[in-house]
Amino acid sequence: MRARKSNLQLEAAIRIIGKRMPEPTISVDPPTESSAKPGGATPSHAWPVLSVWLRDLVISLAISAFIIVFLYQPVKVEGTSMMPSLDDQERIFVNKFVYRLEAIRRGDIVVFRYPRDPSKSFIKRVIGLAGDRIRIDAGEVFVNGEALEEDYVPRAYADQRPYSEIVVPPNSYFLLGDHRSMSNDSRDFGPVNESYIYGKAVFGYWPVDKVGRVR
């Protein structure tokens, strides 16, 4: 599954088409002496108001750009390997700063550069941490000898493929898709070095019925 960057801009998720509204009615005050004269100057109080409005607009745009560039990035999920947690074409926000403050944890859904082609981005769930012993037997995942409880993997999405036990290397993570029978993940390309992981999926914003925290 790939998560494609949106080049710092949210993609239009829906086109809103509405009827043209009637022109609003307004009342016009009689012209003052200064405004009635041809070529009268613009009232001096208009410029401070305009400058304040422009200042607030610039500040708002700067803050928005900072948040998108350095903190949150909107991405579009492509593919079905994270269903039912994330659907194909679903839009989510990825927190790019969180792992500077906290460690990557088992169960996190992360976005990372595909080890075999770093120009592509994948999104998977963290299953094993550095030093963990991971094996899969008849579709059931074992971490350090204990079966992992995975309520995010429906029975219909399970995969019966076995996977021989490995030890996750230092500074690396074992990543799997929730739709096990449809996922290209660490079973295929191995554990992923933490240097390839650049964000955590935190919030879905489209479609409307999927708005909320990503789990």
Side-chain angles (χ1 to χ4, degrees):
M1 172 176 298
R2 298 182 303 163
R4 186 176 60 196
K5 302 178 181 178
S6 63
N7 297 323
L8 313 180
Q9 297 181 349
L10 298 179
E11 295 184 27
I14 186 170
R15 178 179 298 170
I16 301 175
I17 303 176
K19 296 181 179 179
R20 183 175 181 180
M21 299 299 293
E23 293 295 331
T25 58
I26 58 174
S27 59
V28 181
D29 294 328
T32 62
E33 181 178 354
S34 59
S35 61
K37 294 180 180 179
T42 303
S44 58
H45 69 272
W47 294 113
V49 172
L50 180 60
S51 63
V52 170
W53 183 85
L54 289 174
R55 181 201 63 191
D56 292 344
L57 177 61
V58 170
I59 292 175
S60 298
L61 292 175
I63 293 174
S64 299
F66 176 84
I67 291 174
I68 292 175
V69 172
F70 296 103
L71 299 181
Y72 291 93
Q73 177 179 325
V75 300
K76 179 176 69 173
V77 176
E78 295 184 349
T80 59
S81 71
M82 282 302 293
M83 290 179 62
S85 301
L86 297 172
D87 294 330
D88 183 31
Q89 303 303 306
E90 184 172 341
R91 270 71 167 179
I92 63 174
F93 281 112
V94 171
N95 188 324
K96 299 191 296 182
F97 189 76
V98 63
Y99 290 135
R100 298 185 182 183
L101 303 176
E102 63 182 48
I104 298 173
R105 300 176 182 176
R106 183 179 292 107
D108 287 356
I109 297 178
V110 297
V111 178
F112 60 98
R113 292 187 297 275
Y114 181 38
R116 294 176 177 172
D117 183 358
S119 66
K120 300 177 181 179
S121 290
F122 276 25
I123 183 167
K124 305 293 177 185
R125 189 182 296 273
V126 178
I127 300 299
L129 311 178
D132 283 346
R133 292 180 291 107
I134 306 292
R135 69 180 175 89
I136 303 175
D137 186 8
E140 190 169 18
V141 178
F142 291 84
V143 179
N144 299 323
E146 297 185 3
L148 184 64
E149 184 177 347
E150 298 185 288
D151 55 2
Y152 42 79
V153 181
R155 183 182 299 274
Y157 292 172
D159 189 352
Q160 300 303 310
R161 285 184 295 168
Y163 188 83
S164 300
E165 183 172 279
I166 67 164
V167 177
V168 181
N171 304 316
S172 299
Y173 299 88
F174 193 84
L175 311 177
L176 296 178
D178 290 353
H179 196 330
R180 296 290 158 79
S181 61
M182 297 290 291
S183 179
N184 176 23
D185 47 39
S186 285
R187 294 171 296 177
D188 304 295
F189 50 75
V192 175
N193 189 276
E194 65 180 354
S195 63
Y196 284 85
I197 298 174
Y198 64 85
K200 176 182 178 181
V202 292
F203 192 84
Y205 67 90
W206 186 260
V208 174
D209 62 344
K210 296 295 292 288
V211 170
R213 182 182 174 187
V214 174
R215 300 179 182 276

